[in-house]
Amino acid sequence: MALSDLGEFGLIQRIRAVTGEPPEGEVWIGDDAAILRAPGGTILFTADLLVEGVHFDLGWTGAEDLGWKAIAVNASDVAAMGGTPRRALVSLAVRPGLDADFIEGLYRGVGACCDEYGLAVAGGDLSRASELVVSVAMIGNPAGRRVVERRGARPGDALCVTGTLGAAAAGLALLRSGSSGRREDLDAAQLRPTPRVREAEVLRRHLPSAMIDVSDGFAADLGRLCAASNVGARVDAAKLPVPDLTGSGLALDPLELALSGGEDYELCFAIPAARAGRAASEVVAETSTPVHIVGEITEQAAGVQLTLDRQTRPLAPAGWDHFSP
């Protein structure tokens, strides 16, 4: 079967079938980070690749921005499990034509993000390739043994998201267009995303049922959370935090950007409704990041639905897929 027919999620499922099931107490393939057990406690372990021409374009991505983003996207995965990032390995495959100044700048960006979120680079590897590849592996730990997985959402839970959805996709569109109507906030959302590490530290005190970071698009990642939890969801489009495109010159639909844009690295989580309001208020008070209650978790049979202008329709899991044609 061609990868374009199988899709990224389908390929992951095939790989998972080959690698087998983890022992009790561990989680391997299928969540934002693996959960490993060690003599000293629980470890979260994740990895991400950034590939030139797929994830970034050096025509508009600076070396320091690239280094920052490589760390941030991994830190976001750890945060989505209710954890705190601790150490990273950074490996590079460098193409001909890049010089030492660029690599040094990339590591300055790596260091800046590490300093911001209290982690460190413990090593890595270097090689050569036809395109620049930045590979980061990261470990973190949750508070005690409390890990928040994608599974765990229950009907009746409130469905929430942090920050804004779709700003990174808007920033990408501006960078690609070379538009004179540039917006620094939208550029930053794409080039220097903010992993919600501090927000996750607050949220885990309120025991969210399930959580995922929005990396491939809200609709796609919500679908994955629901699939892992064997539930459905109902989303109110009017409550989604869509980007403000004023002055950007972009003729795009903010709702579509929010649903399928991807690379927002916001947290999407389910939490018992009785705790949702207080959890949201404390995140705002301690981090200044807004939390939006955008819907509720429903029974699996109801599917994932979007209510817009008083009409409810199925919400297709649209978003980024590495193997889509």
Side-chain angles (χ1 to χ4, degrees), residues 30-53:
D31 217 307
D32 290 288
I35 302 170
L36 308 178
R37 300 297 183 192
T42 300
I43 296 172
L44 299 174
F45 195 10
T46 189
D48 255 302
L49 287 170
L50 296 181
V51 181
E52 185 178 2

Side-chain angles (χ1 to χ4, degrees), residues 261-276:
E263 293 196 291
D264 293 305
Y265 302 104
E266 298 293 353
L267 297 175
C268 169
F269 62 96
I271 187 170
R275 297 201 292 269

Side-chain angles (χ1 to χ4, degrees), residues 14-320:
R14 290 272 289 268
I15 294 171
R16 183 177 184 175
V18 174
T19 59
E21 294 300 313
E24 185 174 356
E26 295 196 355
V27 174
W28 293 352
I29 296 172
D31 217 307
D32 290 288
I35 302 170
L36 308 178
R37 300 297 183 192
T42 300
I43 296 172
L44 299 174
F45 195 10
T46 189
D48 255 302
L49 287 170
L50 296 181
V51 181
E52 185 178 2
V54 177
H55 301 99
F56 63 90
D57 184 330
L58 293 183
W60 38 258
T61 303
E64 293 191 27
D65 289 337
L66 180 58
W68 172 285
K69 189 170 185 176
I71 295 296
V73 301
N74 283 271
S76 179
D77 280 337
V78 173
M81 305 292 288
T84 301
R86 297 299 186 189
R87 297 290 184 269
L89 297 176
V90 179
S91 298
L92 303 181
V94 182
R95 64 169 168 81
L98 289 179
D99 59 26
D101 289 344
F102 181 92
I103 303 303
E104 184 178 334
L106 187 150
Y107 272 90
R108 281 197 299 270
V110 163
C113 195
C114 286
D115 289 347
E116 182 69 21
Y117 297 100
L119 65 147
V121 173
D125 194 17
L126 290 171
S127 186
R128 182 178 62 191
S130 58
E131 304 294 342
L132 175 62
V133 178
V134 186
S135 174
V136 174
M138 185 176 290
I139 60 171
N141 62 275
R145 292 183 173 270
R146 171 63 179 166
V147 180
V148 187
E149 301 177 43
R150 296 178 184 182
R151 60 183 178 178
R154 297 290 180 266
D157 282 353
L159 178 66
C160 308
V161 295
T162 60
T164 301
L165 300 174
L172 178 61
L174 281 174
L175 290 164
R176 283 176 167 170
S177 71
S179 169
S180 59
R182 299 288 289 278
R183 284 260 304 272
E184 288 186 7
D185 58 331
L186 299 180
D187 285 358
Q190 170 57 218
L191 297 174
R192 290 211 172 200
T194 301
R196 298 304 187 183
V197 173
R198 297 183 181 97
E199 292 78 1
E201 290 172 352
V202 179
L203 283 173
R204 67 192 181 199
R205 301 201 300 258
H206 298 274
L207 305 179
S209 308
M211 191 152 62
I212 191 171
D213 74 332
V214 182
S215 55
D216 293 330
F218 173 74
D221 290 318
L222 173 60
R224 289 166 183 157
L225 184 149
C226 289
S229 296
N230 297 315
V231 296
R234 182 166 51 250
V235 178
D236 185 344
K239 294 181 179 179
L240 286 171
V242 302
D244 176 7
L245 302 183
T246 303
S248 69
L250 292 173
L252 298 174
D253 181 356
L255 178 60
E256 286 304 312
L257 291 174
L259 291 174
S260 60
E263 293 196 291
D264 293 305
Y265 302 104
E266 298 293 353
L267 297 175
C268 169
F269 62 96
I271 187 170
R275 297 201 292 269
R278 183 175 177 184
S281 296
E282 289 195 13
V283 171
V284 174
E286 295 188 35
T287 70
S288 299
T289 299
V291 175
H292 311 270
I293 301 174
V294 299
E296 64 179 333
I297 300 298
T298 61
E299 297 289 345
Q300 185 177 32
V304 181
Q305 298 184 315
L306 179 73
T307 299
L308 175 64
D309 297 331
R310 299 185 181 180
Q311 307 227 343
T312 299
R313 61 174 174 84
L315 178 58
W320 172 257

